[in-house]
Amino acid sequence: PTEGYSGGRVIYIDTEGTFRPDRLKPICERFEVDVEAALENVFYVKALNSEHQRELLDNMAGLLVEQGGCIKLVIVDSIMALFRTDYQGRGELQARQMALGQFLKRLHQLSMEFNFAAIMTNQMTSDPSGG
């Protein structure tokens, strides 16, 4: 099951407080991976607001250098939750989109520089004002 596995660590940016380490257990069992070893390879960070979410990327750059290429995946769960909370209504839609664009651009730059994949989750809404 782990044949050909080259290793790698994960950074999990949690914006909604939904990360559950116990959820990894059945996944690890399914693929015959040691649960404790898997958890030791996850860097968990909780983003408090959209500004903090952006700051985490700058902090993450230091960790990426320190880890010397061991980070293979960054997960942002959920990409829009804090932006939607911090920028409400149509009057702030442009500012929200600009802040989100800056976050995505920085994440893309880091992923290209440090060669990791990025996964983002999101909830869909038909009302861009956040309602």
Side-chain angles (χ1 to χ4, degrees), residues 54-70:
R54 290 190 303 264
E55 289 171 3
L56 287 172
L57 291 185
D58 292 329
N59 297 338
M60 190 173 79
L63 180 63
L64 290 163
V65 169
E66 178 185 301
Q67 290 295 308
C70 289

Side-chain angles (χ1 to χ4, degrees), residues 55-88:
E55 289 171 3
L56 287 172
L57 291 185
D58 292 329
N59 297 338
M60 190 173 79
L63 180 63
L64 290 163
V65 169
E66 178 185 301
Q67 290 295 308
C70 289
I71 304 296
K72 299 298 183 186
L73 176 65
V74 172
I75 300 170
V76 182
D77 183 20
S78 137
I79 187 72
M80 280 300 298
L82 296 175
F83 288 100
R84 193 175 293 121
T85 300
D86 293 348
Y87 299 90
Q88 295 185 359

Side-chain angles (χ1 to χ4, degrees), residues 84 90 93 96 122-131:
R84 193 175 293 121
R90 291 190 183 273
L93 184 58
R96 180 177 83 187
N122 188 28
Q123 295 84 33
M124 298 301 293
T125 178
S126 60
D127 182 2
S129 65

Side-chain angles (χ1 to χ4, degrees), residues 15-71:
T15 67
E16 299 183 283
T18 56
F19 179 72
R20 300 287 178 262
D22 57 310
R23 178 63 186 106
L24 287 178
K25 184 178 180 185
I27 296 169
C28 289
E29 288 172 352
R30 161 68 176 88
F31 292 100
E32 298 179 21
V33 173
D34 180 69
V35 177
E36 293 305 314
L39 285 171
E40 288 173 7
N41 286 297
V42 176
F43 292 99
Y44 171 84
V45 291
K46 172 77 172 107
L48 304 175
N49 55 47
S50 61
E51 179 66 26
H52 186 233
Q53 185 173 333
R54 290 190 303 264
E55 289 171 3
L56 287 172
L57 291 185
D58 292 329
N59 297 338
M60 190 173 79
L63 180 63
L64 290 163
V65 169
E66 178 185 301
Q67 290 295 308
C70 289
I71 304 296

